[in-house]
Amino acid sequence: MMFQSRNARSALFLFAAVCVAGVTAFGATPAASNEGIKSNHGWAIAIHGGAGENEWEHMDSATESAYHESLAKALAAGSAVLKRHGKALDAVEAAVKVLEDDPLFNAGRGSAFAADGKNEMDAAIMDGGTLAAGSIADVQFTRHPVSLARAVMEHTPYVMMVGPGADEFSRAQGLEQQPPSFFFTELRWQEFTSIMRASGRPVPPRPVGVAPAPTASSAPHLFVHRFGTVGAVARDSEGHLAAATSTGGMQGKLPGRVGDSPLIGAGTYASDRSCAVSGTGVGEYFIRLTLARQVCTLVEQGQTSQQAADHMIHDELPALKGGEGGVIVVAPVGDPIWSSNTLGMFRAKEVEGSGPDIHVK
Ligand code: ASP
């Protein structure tokens, strides 16, 4: 157990002291830089469950309705917060937690595997009202990585923590921990092993504690959902914006690889002055373009969020050969929008006064 020895307790005390000092010195919760920008445009939320190509060509109706149901559940969790005049930050966390628990998506339970057969999960959350942000990368045991990102934002002077240090912080925060077998799904493993074989790399042993490999006849029908990252953006009834993104990253990635999702400004960004953005796609391109921040910059310069997102997704992203993906965006005014240059993107939205709008295809 952590923090049980005297040295460890002293370390915890030191850490707490540094955090307290840090909160004061660095302002872990920055002053409300965007205060005064209030919206009378009602609450709004959008979520995504990743983008992709081939899977949209071959999606059968059972898969389609399973994704529809999952999106509806996650959207409802986020909308419920906003309906009772909760904060955008709480709404995006609530929606993403539901998606992280859902094995259909590549985040939390159902995450992709690194080349060594382990899950390395990344997540970020950002408060558009204060520009406070938290993110984590390469964590292996936290049931809800988005909540760990929020804990980094709220309980440390930092923005980002990674690897074993982030896992240890998660335990110290009392966040729910789970063994690798919890995050494992047969479907994602089959997808992983086929990618490893296709690229001529060795397939690592199945994680400890998971059921033996199914026989060919009982193997799950392989629905390869290439990206599968999840995210949410929201505007609350006070007009504040927030964004969150969570992912298992790319299947077969080298251990230690980090994508765009947890990088503030790349896959996740929120500012009440412009918009809140969550992305999905090949992270390396989103990082090079600081895509999420760039969408917000274009909005600040006068473009609508649709124009800004379309420019980044349909012009800038494909201009870098291999740049594929999509974003969801919400601004201080108007309905949430989305844009993707892939065949499909699982997405859904709801705005105050109207019902859920869910798109699987
Ligand atoms: N953007 C994620 C990454 O590069 C992948 C995804 O969207 O599914 O890690």
Side-chain angles (χ1 to χ4, degrees), residues 305-342:
S305 45
Q306 188 73 65
Q307 286 167 336
D310 284 346
H311 174 67
M312 293 310 297
I313 295 296
H314 292 289
D315 301 334
E316 300 285 346
L317 197 56
L320 301 179
K321 208 166 171 319
E324 284 178 276
V327 287
I328 50 171
V329 186
V330 70
V333 179
D335 289 3
I337 62 94
W338 37 62
S339 182
S340 81
N341 64 21
T342 50

Side-chain angles (χ1 to χ4, degrees), residues 75-328:
L75 187 69
S79 297
V81 173
L82 299 170
K83 277 177 190 160
R84 56 173 187 263
H85 302 292
K87 294 197 309 188
L89 199 63
D90 293 327
V92 294
E93 184 184 5
V96 168
K97 280 172 79 171
V98 172
L99 294 165
E100 287 176 336
D101 274 344
D102 192 323
L104 288 182
F105 300 97
N106 171 16
R109 192 158 169 251
S111 280
F113 297 92
D116 59 0
K118 294 184 176 158
N119 299 121
E120 292 185 345
M121 298 172 285
D122 307 337
I125 192 163
M126 186 159 186
D127 180 348
T130 61
L131 302 184
S135 81
I136 50 94
D138 289 354
V139 299
Q140 297 190 356
F141 307 104
T142 303
R143 175 174 171 185
H144 293 123
V146 70
S147 300
L148 179 54
R150 185 162 179 177
V152 171
M153 177 176 99
E154 292 180 341
H155 304 300
T156 79
Y158 318 129
V159 168
M160 187 168 199
M161 293 182 72
V162 304
D167 278 324
E168 190 166 327
F169 173 68
S170 180
R171 286 191 289 274
Q173 284 289 309
L175 296 178
E176 185 176 335
Q177 306 294 299
Q178 291 289 347
S181 57
F182 171 85
F183 299 99
F184 178 95
T185 62
E186 193 58 49
L187 194 66
R188 199 71 69 195
W189 184 259
Q190 297 297 330
E191 183 191 14
F192 164 67
T193 56
S194 68
I195 286 171
M196 293 301 280
R197 286 197 192 93
S199 56
R201 292 182 290 167
V203 174
R206 290 165 75 82
V208 174
V210 307
T215 57
S217 60
S218 62
H221 165 65
L222 196 57
F223 174 72
V224 181
H225 181 25
R226 240 181 102 203
F227 300 123
T229 288
V230 306
V233 294
R235 177 179 70 230
D236 60 31
S237 46
E238 290 278 300
H240 293 304
L241 307 182
T245 313
S246 182
T247 188
M250 303 293 274
Q251 282 281 34
K253 64 189 177 183
L254 287 179
R257 177 265 185 188
V258 176
D260 60 312
S261 310
L263 297 185
I264 299 303
T268 308
Y269 195 76
S271 166
D272 285 5
R273 291 188 185 282
S274 49
C275 59
V277 181
S278 172
T280 173
V282 187
E284 282 65 19
Y285 300 95
F286 281 64
I287 295 170
R288 288 175 190 142
L289 292 170
T290 53
L291 195 138
R293 179 65 180 98
Q294 200 54 32
V295 169
C296 293
T297 299
L298 294 174
V299 170
E300 278 164 23
Q301 290 169 353
Q303 296 197 17
T304 65
S305 45
Q306 188 73 65
Q307 286 167 336
D310 284 346
H311 174 67
M312 293 310 297
I313 295 296
H314 292 289
D315 301 334
E316 300 285 346
L317 197 56
L320 301 179
K321 208 166 171 319
E324 284 178 276
V327 287
I328 50 171

